[in-house]
Amino acid sequence: NLKEVIIEYDSSNLKEFTIGQYAFENCSSLEYVTILQDCVIENYAFANCSKFNVSDLAKEGDEVVLKDGKVVREAKQPKSGWRRALAIVFWLLAITAEVCAILYLVGKINITSLNQTTWLIIFIAIDLVFFIIGSLFWKKANHITPKSEKNKFTFWVWNNLGTILSVLAFLPLIIFVLMNKDMDKKSKGIVTGVAAIALVIAGISSYDFNPVSSEKVLQEQANIEALGYKEVYWAPNSKKYHVDPDCSYFSNSTEIYKGTVADAYKNGQK
């Protein structure tokens, strides 16, 4: 029951490689590989395979080793769903910290260990930390699963939802502080200033200055295919993808990843 698989893409960069425990040499120019008539390599079944590209056979977890010893791995497939869920959770925690600050300000929560100004600043700091964490998760999720930019307004709102919500996370507290008749002017100025700075920091850190759209990803994929490539490559800690696995940019990397442009964006590449 071997399913016939014949892959005919150029693999000129693959002089030596391994799949699992099997090693092959000198298959760079697509010579007929007589040893592969009917065989099974790991989870792959082949019949009469005379031409193949090992990079098309590998899955996540498999290793392809280039002649210089560099390992090429299949792209990781991060998920956006749990990141969006965590973003919402952290945003809610941030707003909860703000609500606690307001309740403390109006006397509904009684804490006597420190003075009022100190506690309000502590609440603002907690609010800011939770909010930034949530925004980082949201922006990462948007790059993993980009939204269409056909509707410019919804695209902007979706990508910068954190910036919009930052107003909700800090402005009500500022209003309550300014309206409070029991605080002295100096304390009002300090707390209002700290909250305003936190609002600006949260808004800027939540803003996506380089949003990714589904159309942009498709266009970039079309561009590399027009040049004769199917996949792109990147190093684990890089920020940009490349079409050539032998690019000098990878000279100090012991392993690189390969995948589509969409895979590259999912893994933080541009």
Side-chain angles (χ1 to χ4, degrees):
N1 296 320
L2 293 179
K3 181 179 179 181
E4 182 172 339
V5 179
I6 301 178
I7 302 174
E8 298 182 340
Y9 295 113
D10 180 28
S11 56
S12 58
N13 60 305
L14 297 170
K15 301 234 176 118
E16 294 178 6
F17 58 87
T18 63
I19 303 178
Q21 61 182 318
Y22 300 91
F24 304 88
E25 294 182 357
N26 301 320
C27 295
S28 59
S29 58
L30 298 179
E31 301 93 345
Y32 276 60
V33 184
T34 57
I35 60 172
L36 292 176
Q37 293 300 319
D38 294 287
C39 64
V40 176
I41 301 177
E42 298 294 297
N43 296 322
Y44 307 102
F46 309 98
N48 300 319
C49 293
S50 58
K51 297 181 181 181
F52 65 91
N53 178 355
V54 67
S55 64
D56 285 305
L57 307 181
K59 299 190 307 184
E60 184 174 357
D62 292 328
E63 292 185 357
V64 176
V65 183
L66 304 183
K67 192 173 182 63
D68 61 2
K70 191 183 283 90
V71 177
V72 182
R73 302 185 190 278
E74 272 292 298
K76 297 178 180 178
Q77 298 296 326
K79 305 298 182 182
S80 62
W82 65 268
R83 288 178 170 84
R84 293 198 193 283
L86 280 179
I88 294 171
V89 168
F90 277 104
W91 282 339
L92 289 175
L93 288 173
I95 294 174
T96 299
E98 179 192 33
V99 171
C100 289
I102 293 173
L103 292 176
Y104 171 69
L105 180 64
V106 300
K108 299 297 182 179
I109 295 178
N110 185 26
I111 305 175
T112 58
S113 57
L114 296 171
N115 64 61
Q116 186 183 59
T117 301
T118 302
W119 270 113
L120 288 173
I121 292 175
I122 290 173
F123 281 125
I124 292 170
I126 295 172
D127 185 354
L128 179 61
V129 170
F130 281 147
F131 199 88
I132 290 176
I133 294 173
S135 294
L136 292 176
F137 276 118
W138 187 260
K139 288 196 293 184
K140 177 62 177 177
N142 288 340
H143 283 238
I144 294 173
T145 309
K147 188 175 180 63
S148 171
E149 61 178 341
K150 289 181 180 178
N151 187 315
K152 301 293 184 181
F153 176 74
T154 57
F155 178 73
W156 184 89
V157 170
W158 184 257
N159 282 283
N160 298 294
L161 186 60
T163 298
I164 297 170
L165 292 178
S166 65
V167 177
L168 180 62
F170 295 97
L171 186 57
L173 176 59
I174 294 174
I175 294 173
F176 270 89
V177 170
L178 293 175
M179 293 178 61
N180 189 282
K181 297 180 180 180
D182 297 325
M183 290 182 70
D184 60 81
K185 289 184 177 180
K186 180 179 179 180
S187 297
K188 278 188 178 183
I190 293 173
V191 175
T192 300
V194 171
I197 292 172
L199 171 57
V200 172
I201 293 173
I204 293 176
S205 63
S206 301
Y207 193 87
D208 194 341
F209 292 94
N210 295 291
V212 179
S213 68
S214 56
E215 290 84 0
K216 179 180 180 181
V217 173
L218 291 174
Q219 184 58 56
E220 290 188 18
Q221 183 67 39
N223 290 343
I224 68 161
E225 289 180 2
L227 296 173
Y229 300 96
K230 281 189 61 182
E231 297 170 319
V232 295
Y233 301 84
W234 62 92
N237 297 317
S238 68
K239 295 298 181 183
K240 293 183 178 181
Y241 65 76
H242 302 265
V243 296
D244 183 4
D246 293 321
C247 175
S248 59
Y249 186 86
F250 301 135
S251 59
N252 295 323
S253 300
T254 57
E255 67 175 13
I256 58 176
Y257 290 92
K258 74 176 186 67
T260 63
V261 172
D263 292 330
Y265 274 103
K266 287 179 182 180
N267 287 274
Q269 310 301 310
K270 299 178 182 178

